Amino acid sequence: MAGVLDSVNQRTQLVGQNRLELLLFRLRGRQIYGINVFKVKEVLQCPKLSSIPNSRAVVRGVAHIRGETIPVIDLGMAIGLPGIPQEDLSSCFVIITEYNRKTQGFLVTAVDRIMNMNWEDILPPPKGTGKDIYLTAVTKIDDKLAEIIDVEKVLSEVSPLREDVTEAVRSRSAERAPGHLPVLVVDDSAVARRQIERCLIAIGMSVVVRNDGKQALQYLKEITEDGSKAKDHLSLIISDVEMPEMDGYTLVTRVKSDPALSDLFVMLHTSLSGVFNKAMVQKVGADDFMAKFSPDELAERIMEIMDQA
């Protein structure tokens, strides 16, 4: 237990400082990719994989690891690269991750190292790259471009989640008084923004969308520059944690330290999971936390917040 607590203390030192740790890896070729260490449970040499009948080709099989059966996804194939040949699997690695309340492994050809970085150095993909790319951000490492993959987009294609609010929840929302102020949704993943927006619209909420914490903070400053409070314009903020330029933890810290913004309810809504989250959320002063993505659960929680307000 002492080791876990030490690890929590070490990780939470990054919280609110706009920093992250990236695990760097390669797919097929020399291009470097990165994934937030908070999402990584472990990295191991590719174990023996058992095939799954009628599964998509990108799912190379399942691995039995520490009593758990985990699907292993060829990450390169999932983003449009050639798949790893069967005969090369034994020399590859599997990154075991937690996303959206599920555990899965990503098959990669090599794992490089862990880098401690500032989110200000993590930039959105260049303009003009199109809406169908599998990137949420890029950064420079050793004068080379490293790409951060939109894993939520990958998982939405490999193992789609139900995105629609059920009729039962819609019916309860119809009984509520209309006319609530908009919700500010902050997320760098186009897939996640779409999911949250559909959920909120289904329960009668209007939505303002921003792609990262820096954009969101700029918007909040703009709507309060006349001396008003953010609460006069918005019902609440729903923010992702991992975002280029300014992460969700830093956004919460800035919001809660500004008198014009501090009384606005902030929910962190993230695919990050695991032992560190409660400590992090408490440290930065967020009002609520929810793991992605359950449309009914999110809708019911938002209605509860609105009723309490």
Side-chain angles (χ1 to χ4, degrees):
M1 178 60 72
V4 172
L5 293 177
D6 288 343
S7 186
V8 170
N9 289 334
Q10 180 182 1
R11 291 289 188 263
T12 54
Q13 297 308 308
L14 300 175
V15 175
Q17 298 180 19
N18 212 35
R19 299 193 68 81
L20 81 157
E21 289 180 319
L22 278 182
L23 173 65
L24 304 180
F25 60 91
R26 298 177 192 269
L27 301 174
R28 297 195 70 182
R30 301 179 64 183
Q31 176 62 50
I32 299 173
Y33 298 89
I35 186 173
N36 194 328
V37 168
F38 279 128
K39 290 182 175 176
V40 177
K41 296 179 72 174
E42 63 179 312
V43 178
L44 44 84
Q45 199 83 34
C46 183
K48 182 179 179 181
L49 301 180
S50 302
S51 61
I52 309 175
N54 301 318
S55 65
R56 297 187 58 175
V58 43
V59 181
R60 301 299 295 266
V62 295
H64 302 282
I65 301 170
R66 311 194 195 292
E68 192 174 3
T69 301
I70 298 171
V72 175
I73 298 165
D74 187 325
L75 189 53
M77 188 185 295
I79 65 172
L81 300 175
I84 297 173
Q86 188 72 25
E87 61 270 20
D88 293 343
L89 292 185
S90 61
S91 64
C92 294
F93 294 84
V94 175
I95 303 173
I96 308 297
T97 66
E98 287 187 39
Y99 277 87
N100 300 345
R101 313 183 191 204
K102 294 182 179 179
T103 301
Q104 54 280 305
F106 292 119
L107 185 67
V108 303
T109 57
V111 175
D112 195 87
R113 64 192 189 277
I114 291 175
M115 288 280 294
N116 188 310
M117 302 192 67
N118 194 311
W119 273 110
E120 291 176 355
D121 298 323
I122 311 294
L123 303 175
K127 292 183 178 179
T129 50
K131 65 178 182 179
D132 294 325
I133 61 167
Y134 289 87
L135 301 181
T136 57
V138 296
T139 189
K140 277 283 188 71
I141 296 176
D142 299 334
D143 292 324
K144 296 178 182 177
L145 190 70
E147 300 179 350
I148 300 175
I149 294 174
D150 187 348
V151 177
E152 290 178 75
K153 178 177 172 63
V154 170
L155 293 176
S156 73
E157 295 175 353
V158 174
S159 180
L161 296 170
R162 182 178 61 81
E163 296 186 2
D164 294 322
V165 176
T166 60
E167 188 56 42
V169 175
R170 287 173 182 264
S171 298
R172 287 198 293 277
S173 73
E175 299 169 1
R176 299 167 56 252
H180 291 291
L181 294 171
V183 176
L184 174 60
V185 173
V186 191
D187 203 302
D188 63 323
S189 169
V191 169
R193 291 196 301 270
R194 182 197 70 220
Q195 291 171 338
I196 300 167
E197 190 168 10
R198 286 180 63 173
C199 175
L200 294 176
I201 290 173
I203 58 171
M205 305 296 297
S206 56
V207 181
V208 177
V209 173
R210 291 296 183 269
N211 293 4
D212 57 56
K214 185 177 180 180
Q215 288 185 13
L217 190 62
Q218 182 178 350
Y219 170 75
L220 292 168
K221 297 285 189 181
E222 289 171 356
I223 63 175
T224 57
E225 62 184 2
D226 60 357
S228 61
K229 299 271 186 138
K231 204 171 182 180
D232 300 329
H233 304 271
L234 297 168
S235 294
L236 73 152
I237 300 174
I238 301 175
S239 177
D240 188 22
V241 169
E242 293 183 284
M243 296 179 290
E245 300 198 274
M246 181 185 292
D247 70 358
Y249 295 131
T250 304
L251 174 62
V252 175
T253 301
R254 299 283 183 87
V255 166
K256 294 303 182 180
S257 64
D258 188 325
L261 313 177
S262 59
D263 57 355
L264 191 59
F265 192 101
V266 184
M267 172 193 284
L268 288 173
H269 184 245
T270 173
S271 56
L272 287 170
S273 55
V275 68
F276 307 112
N277 267 323
K278 287 187 178 179
M280 294 175 180
V281 170
Q282 185 175 17
K283 179 172 181 176
V284 298
D287 299 289
D288 201 359
F289 164 82
M290 183 173 287
K292 292 177 180 176
F293 174 72
S294 167
D296 281 0
E297 200 173 303
L298 179 60
E300 289 179 334
R301 181 65 185 122
I302 296 305
M303 289 191 289
E304 182 183 336
I305 293 167
M306 293 296 95
D307 292 343
Q308 290 173 350

